[in-house]
Amino acid sequence: MIYNLIGRAVVKFGWMFLKRKFVLRTALVGILAAVLGITAVGVAGYIATRDVPEG
């Protein structure tokens, strides 16, 4: 239960910080770019390491 309350407080204060310090749109664009970058690295890693039969 305490972890749930701590998690809610972290999210609440995180959103307050983002609203105060950054434009929300800018933050969302940054988060989206980070997620797309991580996804691209994951896909590239999967393609590079998968076993493909030759010929």
Side-chain angles (χ1 to χ4, degrees):
M1 179 165 165
I2 190 70
Y3 294 115
N4 189 8
L5 293 174
I6 291 171
R8 287 183 185 186
V10 167
V11 170
K12 180 179 177 181
F13 287 118
W15 278 115
M16 286 174 51
F17 177 78
L18 285 176
K19 286 179 184 177
R20 192 177 325 140
K21 293 289 183 183
F22 300 106
V23 176
L24 187 58
R25 184 182 308 157
T26 305
L28 291 177
V29 168
I31 292 170
L32 180 63
V35 168
L36 289 175
I38 292 169
T39 303
V41 169
V43 169
Y46 169 74
I47 290 172
T49 59
R50 65 184 174 147
D51 292 328
V52 178
E54 294 184 15

